[in-house]
Amino acid sequence: MSDELLLSIEKLVYGGDGLTHSGGNTVFVPYVLPGEAVRAAAKTKKKKLIWTKLVEVTSPSSERIAAACPHFQVCGGCHYQHIPAAEQVRLKIEILRETLSRLGGVQWNGEIAAHLGEPYAYRNRAQWAVRSGMPRALGYFLPESSVILPIDTCPILSPRLLETFMLLQEMARGGKLPVGILEIEAFTDSADGKIALNVAFDKFPSPPEQIASLLRAELPRLESLLLLDQKKDRFELCGPGFLIHEVGGFKYQVSHLSFFQVNRLLTEYLLKAVTAGAKGTLALDLYAGVGFFTLPLAQTFERVVSVDANLAATRDLFANAKNAGVEVVSHNKHVEEFLKKTAERPDFVVLDPPRAGLGTAAAAALASLGAAEIVYLSCDPSTLARDLAVLTGSQRKPRGTSPEAGPEGSAEGAAGETNRYEITEMAMFDLFPQTFHIETLVRLRKVA
């Protein structure tokens, strides 16, 4: 499709696009602001939905600013660099309220507190694909494509991570990067001093020790290196295997394959907000990772039970608890499986699931545990809406968020028959400035 449309943008929606209507169709346009008049070229159409490419902003919003990155609107990693940071947050809060209401029937008219950090230089982890053609170069995959866009800079990276990227890019373009590399993942510690790399090869071009020696010579801050030979499905570790993050007085060992919050500037605020005032006999930490919330909860509860399916993260959690001098019970299993069978009756539950969220069955199982308070940290408002509909007994059946959202997702099923919760607090942490991603903290209290 190449039809050009003249459009007036009505609002932004989750996913980064602007939404408007034309000729009986709903039209999505990237890199716009509400109220702008634009020219857009149609790319794809499905029934009455049209996705377009922005051609020109003919009447820009007064809020529009120049992007900080020369690759903006091309690499696809950022969606909002044309919007000031404070306005990004205001728009995200609007999108959050609308998504919760539309998909989950969840009405929250109270304040949504906004927590902002620096809009750039915040990421402590990134992945770069390697273009094998000449000239070789590192970059990001173009949206919905296997094409790699070589890049020269990325302003959302932390200073150390950006420095690492520039050194690797210089190696790639200078022919010094080992051949056969498919992808490089880099992450830094909380001080933004040391780095660790995960490097995936099609196959090792030379012994791992030689590869490690070469990379260490070019990257003086390299602390730990994990190499993967995909053809042989073989890992080689060179170094301690982890970095240390210090947050809120706690030290966290984070190994190569473990998850940790990527916004290095807001982790302490997030830790304090989630655990504020939490105390009692038993706390349950779901999707616990390396124990980010487990360690502080262990100081205010008699028992803490953590659950995570990632074996590397679970091992880190045990090491972190031992180093902190606290005892925890940790289950290395999927949260859904744990919730089906557990006999635990916690006073307090914190959960920080991936984008897929809990799911209606797991949300119902969670509600049946009867915890007095639940803190849900979500990175996707659509799956959050589905899960809150179950926990709160919302009268609207969640729509379109999961294949499993059937009758059990309605207020009359699942949690409505056991325990019902009400929202007491909602906050938005802008962990991913310049992108459409929304991190939401929801505090719930059992009412029935």
Side-chain angles (χ1 to χ4, degrees):
M1 296 183 67
S2 59
D3 296 339
E4 196 167 282
L5 302 170
L6 301 178
L7 304 166
S8 179
I9 305 303
E10 298 171 17
K11 63 180 181 179
L12 296 191
V13 294
Y14 186 66
D17 288 343
L19 177 147
T20 189
H21 295 85
S22 177
N25 298 302
T26 299
V27 185
F28 300 94
V29 188
Y31 312 119
V32 294
L33 274 157
E36 290 188 328
V38 304
R39 289 193 301 120
K43 295 193 306 180
T44 58
K45 182 175 181 180
K46 185 177 181 180
K47 296 183 179 179
K48 290 188 175 296
L49 302 177
I50 298 176
W51 287 267
T52 69
K53 176 181 180 180
L54 178 64
V55 175
E56 180 187 9
V57 179
T58 56
S59 180
S61 165
S62 61
E63 293 285 354
R64 179 174 282 272
I65 61 174
C69 179
H71 304 295
F72 181 60
Q73 295 189 19
V74 182
C75 93
C78 291
H79 318 94
Y80 289 162
Q81 285 195 24
H82 60 296
I83 307 175
E87 182 66 4
Q88 289 183 38
V89 171
R90 188 189 71 80
L91 290 167
K92 286 182 180 182
I93 289 175
E94 281 188 0
I95 292 168
L96 173 61
R97 288 188 192 276
E98 188 275 339
T99 304
L100 294 180
S101 174
R102 176 172 54 86
L103 294 181
V106 177
Q107 303 294 332
W108 173 251
N109 298 317
E111 178 190 11
I112 299 180
H115 300 272
L116 291 74
E118 292 297 320
Y120 289 98
Y122 66 85
R123 281 195 72 98
N124 62 25
R125 184 181 287 259
Q127 288 180 303
W128 306 302
V130 180
R131 191 178 69 177
S132 58
M134 297 302 291
R136 299 186 72 202
L138 274 67
Y140 297 121
F141 286 110
L142 291 172
E144 302 174 5
S145 170
S146 60
V147 176
I148 300 169
L149 171 74
I151 61 171
D152 300 305
T153 187
C154 184
I156 64 173
L157 303 181
S158 76
R160 184 66 64 209
L161 208 55
L162 180 59
E163 174 192 76
T164 302
F165 168 77
M166 299 301 287
L167 290 171
L168 286 167
Q169 188 69 290
E170 185 177 334
M171 290 179 68
R173 289 175 169 162
K176 294 183 179 180
L177 199 67
V179 298
I181 293 179
L182 303 175
E183 184 177 272
I184 300 174
E185 181 176 26
F187 59 104
T188 70
D189 59 10
S190 55
D192 202 37
K194 298 176 181 179
I195 63 166
L197 296 182
N198 298 334
V199 184
F201 289 81
D202 177 43
K203 63 179 181 179
F204 291 155
S206 56
E209 297 78 11
Q210 291 184 16
I211 298 171
S213 179
L214 172 62
L215 290 172
R216 289 189 186 283
E218 300 290 335
L219 304 171
R221 299 285 184 163
L222 181 58
E223 176 75 3
S224 191
L225 175 65
L226 184 66
L227 304 174
L228 169 63
D229 183 323
Q230 290 195 348
K231 280 199 171 178
K232 294 184 178 179
D233 194 22
R234 169 189 169 197
F235 283 99
E236 290 287 342
L237 177 64
C238 307
F242 59 85
L243 296 180
I244 297 294
H245 285 260
E246 297 188 33
V247 184
F250 300 95
K251 289 186 178 182
Y252 299 93
Q253 167 183 306
V254 182
S255 60
H256 285 266
L257 302 180
S258 295
F259 168 80
F260 199 77
Q261 297 292 342
V262 300
N263 190 315
R264 67 192 184 93
L265 306 174
L266 287 175
T267 50
E268 186 162 346
Y269 297 100
L270 188 64
L271 184 71
K272 291 179 178 178
V274 168
T275 59
K279 59 183 180 180
T281 303
L282 173 61
L284 183 59
D285 186 1
L286 304 178
Y287 308 96
V290 302
F292 186 55
F293 301 122
T294 303
L295 297 192
L297 291 174
Q299 294 190 335
T300 57
F301 285 83
E302 295 177 18
R303 290 180 64 231
V304 178
V305 175
S306 67
V307 185
D308 198 286
N310 184 321
L311 180 57
T314 301
R315 288 171 174 167
D316 284 338
L317 188 150
F318 277 123
N320 294 331
K322 181 179 180 180
N323 292 336
V326 299
E327 291 187 7
V328 300
V329 176
S330 181
H331 296 273
N332 178 222
K333 60 173 59 177
H334 291 284
V335 166
E336 299 82 357
E337 178 187 349
F338 172 83
L339 289 174
K340 284 180 183 178
K341 301 177 181 179
T342 184
E344 302 283 8
R345 290 296 176 261
D347 307 300
F348 176 84
V349 178
V350 58
L351 62 150
D352 183 11
R355 282 182 176 54
L358 264 176
T360 52
L366 173 60
S368 71
L369 301 186
E373 186 175 42
I374 297 173
V375 175
Y376 191 146
L377 190 62
S378 164
C379 58
D380 188 308
S382 59
T383 56
L384 175 63
R386 175 202 62 204
D387 295 342
L388 288 181
V390 177
L391 294 168
T392 64
S394 159
Q395 292 304 303
R396 181 175 298 173
K397 178 179 175 180
R399 297 184 294 114
T401 57
S402 167
E404 66 174 345
E408 65 176 357
S410 69
E412 297 307 315
E417 298 171 353
T418 52
N419 299 298
R420 186 171 64 85
Y421 288 81
E422 65 178 3
I423 298 170
T424 60
E425 177 190 348
M426 194 175 295
M428 200 280 283
F429 284 80
D430 198 23
L431 298 188
F432 310 97
Q434 316 312 326
T435 79
F436 67 79
H437 298 294
I438 298 174
E439 191 84 6
T440 309
L441 184 154
V442 182
R443 195 175 299 274
L444 301 118
R445 178 177 58 204
K446 188 176 72 168
V447 294

